[in-house]
Amino acid sequence: MDKLTLRSTIEAARASIPGEKRHAASVQIREFLLDRPWVQMAGLVACYWSTGTEPATHGLVFALWKHGATVILPVLRDDDDLDWAVYDGPDTLAPGRFGIMEPVDTRRGVDAVRTAALVIVPALAVDRSTGVRLGRGGGSYDRALARVGPNVPTVALLHEGELLDGVPAEPHDQAVRYAATPGGIFKTTTAEM
């Protein structure tokens, strides 16, 4: 299945999940993540502010921030690359491009993600063996993930059924080391954590 078809299939499946079930799944993912020592110890976390049918990150971002982590969220630039800014509570967000909520804090630059001890990204699907993620097609997160060090845990958040045995890949596609689903956290590559 090509990327476009797979994206359409997954987006349709996500749209059919009842809101209560999506919420419960997001809570489960958050709890699985917050239970991991490598999440608890991460001083600087790059995450994202979820939208639409994505697994919700609002509670996760708030919990990480309340537990003392510095959380940086993406700010979509005009060239579709990701700048980063610090989240300092729910009142410090404003709509950005495409209406996605972004921090109003000072922009830290595209390389700020290099300093993160944990990087959490959106995905529509992840290949369980290679860790290649299927995004929405803009390449923003592939560029960001290319800047992340090889030993930093990178995690894609997924609904059930989105961790697949095969995801179409192109040379620019970046892999993640973990996939977090309502069923648990799965290592996708040779991560040592």
Side-chain angles (χ1 to χ4, degrees), residues 26-141:
S26 298
V27 169
Q28 195 63 43
I29 291 168
R30 179 182 73 218
E31 295 309 311
F32 280 133
L33 282 169
L34 293 175
D35 195 42
R36 297 289 174 144
W38 46 269
V39 173
Q40 296 168 4
M41 294 185 302
L44 178 64
V45 179
C47 195
Y48 65 100
W49 196 257
S50 60
T51 169
T53 59
E54 293 175 331
T57 61
H58 307 176
L60 174 62
V61 168
F62 186 76
L64 290 165
W65 175 67
K66 287 302 273 183
H67 286 99
T70 298
V71 181
I72 56 174
L73 298 177
V75 177
L76 186 61
R77 295 171 17 141
D78 289 338
D79 63 359
D80 289 337
D81 206 342
L82 298 177
D83 203 332
W84 299 87
V86 173
Y87 169 87
D88 198 20
D91 296 335
T92 63
L93 299 173
R97 279 181 67 199
F98 307 114
I100 298 171
M101 299 301 280
E102 299 174 343
V104 295
D105 189 47
T106 305
R107 306 296 183 248
R108 305 296 171 108
V110 297
D111 287 329
V113 72
R114 290 184 195 277
T115 61
L118 169 64
V119 179
I120 300 170
V121 298
L124 290 168
V126 170
D127 186 306
R128 74 174 69 248
S129 60
T130 65
V132 169
R133 61 177 279 285
L134 178 69
R136 296 202 180 269
S140 301
Y141 283 95

